[in-house]
Amino acid sequence: MSSPSKITSRHQARLAVVYIRQSTLAQVREHTESTARQYALATEAARLGWEASKIVIIDADLGLSGRSASMRSGFKELVSRVCMGEVGAVFGLEISRLARSSADLQRLLEFCSITDTLIVDADGVYDLQSFNDRLLLGLKGTMSEAELHVLAGRLQESKRAAARRGDLRFPLPVGYVFDEDRRIVKDTNEEIRIAVSDVFAAFEATGSAYGVVGVFRERRFPRRAYGGAWSGDIRWGRLTHSRVLGLLSNPTYTGTYVYGRYRSRRIVDPDGTIRTKATKPARGEWLVNIPDHHPAYTTWNNYLDTERRLSANHTRSGARPPREGAALLQGLVMCGGCGRAMSTLHTPGRSIYDCTHSRHDRAQTPGCRSVVASLVDAAVAPRLLTAVAPDRVALALAMADELEDRRVRSTRSLELQLERSRYEAARAERAFHQCEPENRLVARSLEQRWEEKLTRLTEAEGALAAAQASVVSLPTGDQLAAAASELPRLWAAPTTSAKDRKRLLRALVADVTLTSEPGPRVRIGIRWRTGASEELVVTRPGVARRTPAAAIELVRNFAELDDAELVTRIAAAGLRTGGGRAFDRAAVRWIRYAYEIPGTKPAAHLREGELTIDQVADRLDVAPGVIYSWVRQGHVNARRASGGRLCVHFPTEVEDATRRRVAQSTRIKPRSEKVAAGGAV
């Protein structure tokens, strides 16, 4: 250390903080001399005049890199103490121990300058209020960061050079090991080799990662441990979905040596935290790709095909892959009422195409109804077999050729427009560059014309791209001929699974739209891959079990009557329920609930201090269901009147208590807000 002449009693009255850091845990474990030298700085602080009680050691950042301060709690503590004016001097072995980032270091030095805090390292004592000392520390910090950059560049380039030769060693996936000559070979354990090979065979058979998991449900799978005392050892356990995806997407199993599949980059979170994130570049941006480098478990073509199949199975990106289940049109059905995709619900004995979006959005249209899947499938499947009959194959081939010619003619016009726009933009650019810079009047005019031509060029490129993206992929003639000759036999074969039939349907059917009419009829719109469309009309079975429309209309017209009187009127009209039973109070209450028909004269049954469910709901501005729930839970008292209606005992104290409950609840929303938002109450 140099002369302590810059140290005053004012500094010694505050803390002397010794900041200790090593970049990695390996350095902490192996470079013990460096760690010991940093801890010895406490002795140096005592020699320079600080009392032992005033010396604080911060060593929370041992094993952490100094590139960023976001994960270093010790550095944050140091900055906090400096800002509060508690620190008289910061001791470090060298300036790079404080921070490798110039931004973090300069911020700390600025705080030290404001609070009159000294920096002490092996070269001397620095007063940040002195311009020369601040300049010197800034230069040392910049040199430290440059040193880190040079060292990292050398190390990375050495790794890339070894990788380009295929000699860089890295942890191998299960199924591979390094031999004595440092070459990658298949694992000598036959059980491991068979297990890895069976993963690719299972995916070929099932077509999905979850299918592979099902195949290995009762079977163990190997896993290599990385790090720790068990590093490199094989552990056997359950094969998970994430592991299957990792195996299928790893090009190492194709015998290809790959380096650079993942890259790390630094990002800044909204709160200012800097962290490192791994990104996955496109295949063409991999740094090293050496085919036939080592023995393979599968081929490169199979790897590409697997990648496409996995992407087609990803439903979050809009894909609708064929799955298990009896519903043949699963994933292809659209709702004719709201225009959105219909879900497939599987219940014991049957499957249903259901428009669940309408109920979630509380915006159900008359066409948003559930349809039994077998009804629709039975109508669409014969149309598929008829469409590919031999007498229609020739017509389909001719139509495909005509559509292709029409597509070529439409896109050719856009291509010519794009070519002309490019020529005009290039001509305007040349005219602008040939203009003398001093002649600003002409230059501005030429520049404006150039910008107009570039705008037209962009519009032409967009129009051509949109036209090409809207092209419907058509099956080839060979595919149609093969389908015509083999489809009926394959469809009827007992060995053909539901998933196979779904694949056959998807080869020709683009989507199916279901529109439910007020009566029993359902319209089925089929859109074929060729662009053609047709409509079928089917009748729902079991319509006789529905509630008669006359009974619903009677309840609506005489809604002010109680349920007992309505039962009498319905019986006098000779109406019965959809199941053939005589109407009772429960059936009438169900009609009121299902068709939202409220009563208007319940007050005749009320006693003093009582209100109906709807009156309580209106007074509290909540949905009636909230009051029904409170009655069931015992939060409010209610009795059932002779007509079957609930009468709520609702004095002032009960009203005050329920209002407090509504105000304190995070789940109960005011009914007025729902109505204003367009929702049904």
Side-chain angles (χ1 to χ4, degrees), residues 88-161:
V90 177
F91 285 76
L93 193 62
E94 55 186 14
I95 196 66
S96 64
R97 298 297 176 184
L98 297 176
R100 286 285 191 177
S101 169
S102 291
D104 295 336
L105 180 60
Q106 293 300 328
R107 185 165 59 249
L108 174 61
L109 297 182
E110 182 67 21
F111 293 151
C112 290
S113 174
I114 295 173
T115 59
D116 190 19
T117 302
L118 303 177
I119 299 293
V120 184
D121 67 4
D123 295 327
V125 180
Y126 304 92
D127 182 1
L128 274 303
Q129 293 185 341
S130 170
F131 174 77
N132 290 334
D133 287 0
R134 189 164 62 250
L135 179 64
L136 181 57
L137 279 181
L139 179 60
K140 294 179 69 174
T142 302
M143 293 178 62
S144 173
E145 189 174 20
E147 176 191 19
L148 182 65
H149 172 75
V150 171
L151 291 176
R154 291 176 180 174
L155 293 174
Q156 291 295 330
E157 185 55 36
S158 298
K159 288 180 62 177
R160 295 190 189 99

Side-chain angles (χ1 to χ4, degrees), residues 6 44 67 104 113-114 135 188 190 243 268 271 279 283 334 367 438 448 453 483 574 581 636 680:
K6 299 177 183 178
E44 180 65 19
R67 288 191 62 183
D104 295 336
S113 174
I114 295 173
L135 179 64
T188 55
E190 185 178 3
R243 287 217 61 205
V268 182
D271 60 355
T279 59
R283 187 184 303 113
M334 310 295 292
E438 296 80 5
Q448 182 179 1
K453 300 299 183 182
R581 298 183 297 105
V636 295

